[in-house]
Amino acid sequence: MTPETVMLIGISGGSGSGKTTFARMLNDYLNSTRGEGFSAILAQDHYYIDQSARFKEDGDPSVNFDHPSAIEFPLLSRHLEQLRLKKPVEVPIYDFVTHTRKNETTPFPPRPVVIVDGMLLLSQAIVRPWLDHSIYVDAPESVRYERRLRRDVTERGRTPDGVERQFRAQVKPMHDEFIEPSRRYASLLVDGTRDFAPVIAGLRL
Ligand SMILES: Nc1ncnc2c1ncn2[C@@H]1O[C@H](COP(=O)(O)OP(=O)(O)OP(=O)(O)O)[C@@H](O)[C@H]1O
Ligand SMILES: [Mg+2]
């Protein structure tokens, strides 16, 4: 069923700040209070450009996955426009272990609320205009690093050494250059070390 309107809510912030956790909690909250299918999450991570040809080893510094040019933002922007027009989109599928974009896509129908999860969203002038609300989740670098290390090793098949090198060489510099300055575009700042439940229950959407 086509919704009457589509509201786009961007969740941004540094790697390990708690964006995906916040997005999932908000999504669960909306689906349980407004009805199943009321909202869904669209993640920036699906829009990585295929890097398999360039990538040599874990932590290879020649590929910067944290720079905005690693993400196909023009495609994400077009998809946000389509969703706003209540049209379905086909979301790319990206494999983090092989750094490959698959040939298949995932159909994503429009919903009354689409939650967009991505650390560079607010740094992009072609993305910002589509977001009705933009939330920046903020956490100190030490907290973000520890969380990232745990996740990349357990869920993304990375070595602790590769994660450490990538954080120092790319994650931190790109955070400082693109992500941190983009917080000024947020309509709401959220502390990523606190419980998100009261924040979500208090949102006026
Ligand atoms: N408010 C919070 N309090 C305590 N732990 C949290 C909180 N938010 C997130 N975490 C934990 O921190 C880890 C990283 O969170 P999450 O995956 O949401 O970060 P992220 O911002 O999406 O990172 P990335 O950009 O790298 O995907 C998870 O293990 C999660 O359970
Ligand atoms: Mg995440």
Side-chain angles (χ1 to χ4, degrees):
M1 216 180 69
T2 307
E4 273 176 41
T5 58
V6 175
M7 178 193 279
L8 302 174
I9 304 176
I11 314 293
S12 192
S15 181
S17 59
K19 294 182 299 296
T20 300
T21 304
F22 188 95
R24 285 180 184 155
M25 285 178 72
L26 176 58
N27 191 46
D28 290 347
Y29 177 81
L30 291 174
N31 281 307
S32 61
T33 55
R34 309 283 188 93
E36 208 50 52
F38 189 82
S39 68
I41 299 172
L42 181 64
Q44 174 199 292
D45 284 358
H46 299 303
Y47 292 80
Y48 272 108
I49 293 163
D50 192 307
Q51 302 273 16
S52 52
R54 288 179 59 207
F55 196 77
K56 291 179 214 74
E57 54 165 314
D58 190 22
D60 184 342
S62 72
V63 182
N64 190 340
F65 293 98
D66 294 276
H67 193 277
S69 62
I71 310 282
E72 198 176 347
F73 279 115
L75 180 63
L76 175 59
S77 173
R78 282 204 300 282
H79 283 181
L80 298 182
E81 179 180 16
Q82 291 300 302
L83 288 166
R84 169 56 72 60
L85 296 170
K86 300 175 261 182
K87 299 207 173 101
V89 297
E90 292 291 329
V91 179
I93 301 173
Y94 182 80
D95 181 343
F96 277 96
V97 177
T98 58
H99 311 287
T100 311
R101 185 183 283 183
K102 307 245 185 248
N103 291 325
E104 313 86 78
T105 54
T106 311
F108 190 102
R111 333 274 166 123
V113 170
V114 174
I115 300 163
V116 194
D117 169 4
M119 61 183 176
L120 287 160
L121 296 178
L122 298 183
S123 75
Q124 298 301 301
I126 59 170
V127 169
R128 290 196 298 266
W130 300 115
L131 301 173
D132 297 282
H133 296 276
S134 43
I135 294 169
Y136 185 95
V137 183
D138 191 32
E141 184 178 291
S142 55
V143 171
R144 291 188 293 100
Y145 174 69
E146 289 301 326
R147 288 173 174 177
R148 166 111 184 192
L149 182 64
R150 221 176 307 133
R151 187 208 52 194
D152 279 3
V153 171
T154 57
E155 295 174 28
R156 295 192 177 173
R158 307 282 311 282
T159 65
D161 191 49
V163 175
E164 199 272 328
R165 271 185 291 150
Q166 187 188 14
F167 195 89
R168 202 164 10 88
Q170 297 168 343
V171 178
K172 178 181 162 50
M174 295 301 102
H175 178 89
D176 295 347
E177 184 174 352
F178 296 105
I179 300 171
E180 177 69 31
S182 74
R183 64 189 286 155
R184 69 193 169 101
Y185 297 111
S187 46
L188 179 68
L189 293 176
V190 171
D191 183 343
T193 65
R194 305 274 295 266
D195 179 10
F196 294 140
V199 179
I200 286 169
L203 287 179
R204 292 277 160 267
L205 297 175

